[in-house]
């Protein structure tokens, strides 16, 4: 596989203190790392650890306690996203991952917006994405909208469709706003992975990898990753592949499995 790899050091290398994971990922051949929340990190130490290890920081989450589908969160969401973008710019992070709903501990949906209709959520999401794109263009920080599965990991999340995510970002029309296609989430939610990747090709900004079921390294589940990576190359994807997975046994076993592709 010629595509560049990024290790999610939030769920990989958990046997090490967080700041030591940058060097471990570099030693294992990952040119980039990524993680989730930035508020709970010592950012100057993060920047120093990344620079010392010689790895780039691919992404972190741009949102937290606020939802793009909730009209009541509109101002607070954009204010927090602005802080995230400025933080990313300061420490050299390439992109922010954004979601339709606020996520709490363990990735559980913290704001289901049950009292709102699907129409209100969709319109609010589109309006919010337009504002996200303007911020991305003002700061130069890319943003990637990620649909999630509601089958196992994120019950109550609004955005579950790769087609919807791709169509929304295409309608907004900014080169700095794309979608994040998480192969694990989309296998659980919709299947036909190569078909959906081809349909979303022009809107792919980042790709996440884990096998399903289990969310472990490729080869531990039912997804044919040789076909997935061939498909990505066929459609001309040139972004990063983020390995956002929990090693089934040890990180080193997972790394060996990753580097088979």
């Amino acid at each position: 596989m010629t595509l560049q790899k990024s290790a999610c050091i939030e769920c990989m290398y958990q046997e090490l203190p967080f700041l030591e994971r940058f060097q471990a990922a570099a030693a294992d051949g990952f040119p980039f790392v990524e993680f989730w929340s930035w508020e709970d990190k010592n950012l100057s130490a993060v920047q120093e650890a990344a620079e010392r290890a010689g790895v780039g920081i691919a992404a972190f989450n741009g949102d937290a306690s606020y939802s793009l589908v909730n009209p009541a969160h509109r101002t607070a969401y954009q204010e927090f996203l602005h802080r995230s973008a400025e933080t990313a710019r300061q420490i050299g992070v390439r992109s922010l991952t954004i979601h339709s709903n606020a996520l709490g501990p363990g990735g559980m949906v913290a704001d289901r917006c049950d009292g709102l209709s699907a129409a209100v959520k969709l319109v609010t999401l589109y309006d919010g994405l337009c504002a996200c794109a303007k911020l991305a263009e003002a700061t130069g920080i890319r943003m990637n909208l990620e649909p999630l599965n509601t089958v196992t990991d994120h019950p109550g999340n609004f955005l579950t469709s790769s087609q919807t995510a791709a169509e929304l970002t295409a309608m907004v029309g900014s080169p700095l706003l794309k979608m994040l296609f998480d192969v694990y989430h989309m296998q659980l939610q919709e299947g036909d992975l190569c078909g959906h990747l081809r349909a979303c090709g022009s809107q792919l900004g980042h790709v996440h990898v884990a096998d399903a079921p289990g969310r472990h390294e490729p080869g531990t589940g039912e997804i044919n990753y040789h076909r997935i990576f061939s498909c990505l190359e066929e459609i001309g994807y040139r972004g990063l592949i983020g390995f956002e997975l929990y090693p089934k046994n040890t990180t080193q076993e997972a790394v060996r499995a990753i580097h088979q592709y």
Side-chain angles (χ1 to χ4, degrees), residues 180-241:
L180 191 162
F181 191 107
D182 187 303
V183 180
Y184 163 80
H185 284 306
M186 294 301 96
Q187 170 67 359
L188 293 178
Q189 193 69 34
E190 59 188 17
D192 187 20
L193 294 169
C194 290
H196 284 105
L197 283 169
R198 292 188 183 98
C200 296
S202 66
Q203 293 304 306
L204 293 180
H206 197 61
V207 173
H208 274 168
V209 160
D211 217 330
R215 206 171 190 175
H216 304 307
E217 60 269 23
T220 58
E222 64 190 11
I223 300 175
N224 185 336
Y225 269 105
H226 289 291
R227 291 193 64 185
I228 295 298
F229 292 135
S230 293
C231 178
L232 287 169
E233 295 204 15
E234 287 168 9
I235 64 178
Y237 177 69
R238 294 294 179 265
L240 296 178
I241 303 291

Side-chain angles (χ1 to χ4, degrees), residues 43-232:
L43 295 175
S44 60
V46 163
Q47 184 177 20
E48 181 180 344
E51 291 174 351
R52 186 167 57 247
V55 296
I57 304 177
F60 58 58
N61 288 346
D63 42 23
S65 301
Y66 307 106
S67 298
L68 267 173
V69 294
N70 190 337
H73 288 186
R74 185 190 305 268
T75 299
Y77 185 97
Q78 293 300 326
E79 288 175 349
F80 186 86
L81 188 66
H82 187 272
R83 290 175 55 205
S84 296
E86 287 300 325
T87 299
R89 186 162 63 172
Q90 289 168 13
I91 66 172
V93 178
R94 287 168 55 123
S95 67
L96 301 178
T97 304
I98 58 178
H99 307 89
S100 63
N101 294 69
L103 302 177
M108 296 301 295
V109 174
D111 178 36
R112 296 193 180 204
C113 309
D114 288 332
L116 300 175
S117 70
V120 167
K121 293 177 185 178
L122 186 60
V123 171
T124 305
L125 176 57
Y126 175 75
D127 286 347
L129 289 174
C130 290
C132 291
K134 289 180 181 178
L135 178 59
E137 291 165 4
T139 60
I141 300 297
R142 295 177 177 273
M143 300 186 188
N144 295 309
L145 175 66
E146 182 180 24
L148 304 172
N149 87 79
T150 57
V151 176
T152 300
D153 300 279
H154 305 285
N157 194 69
F158 177 71
L159 184 63
T160 62
S161 162
S162 61
Q163 178 182 357
T164 301
E167 289 177 347
L168 284 169
T169 57
M171 287 174 64
V172 174
S174 170
L176 295 185
L177 177 70
K178 298 294 183 179
M179 71 165 293
L180 191 162
F181 191 107
D182 187 303
V183 180
Y184 163 80
H185 284 306
M186 294 301 96
Q187 170 67 359
L188 293 178
Q189 193 69 34
E190 59 188 17
D192 187 20
L193 294 169
C194 290
H196 284 105
L197 283 169
R198 292 188 183 98
C200 296
S202 66
Q203 293 304 306
L204 293 180
H206 197 61
V207 173
H208 274 168
V209 160
D211 217 330
R215 206 171 190 175
H216 304 307
E217 60 269 23
T220 58
E222 64 190 11
I223 300 175
N224 185 336
Y225 269 105
H226 289 291
R227 291 193 64 185
I228 295 298
F229 292 135
S230 293
C231 178
L232 287 169

Side-chain angles (χ1 to χ4, degrees), residues 1-3 5 209 211 217-220 223-227 229 243 255-261:
M1 184 180 72
T2 59
L3 299 169
K5 301 173 183 177
V209 160
D211 217 330
E217 60 269 23
T220 58
I223 300 175
N224 185 336
Y225 269 105
H226 289 291
R227 291 193 64 185
F229 292 135
F243 289 84
V255 168
R256 285 194 293 271
I258 289 167
H259 286 322
Q260 290 179 19
Y261 296 87

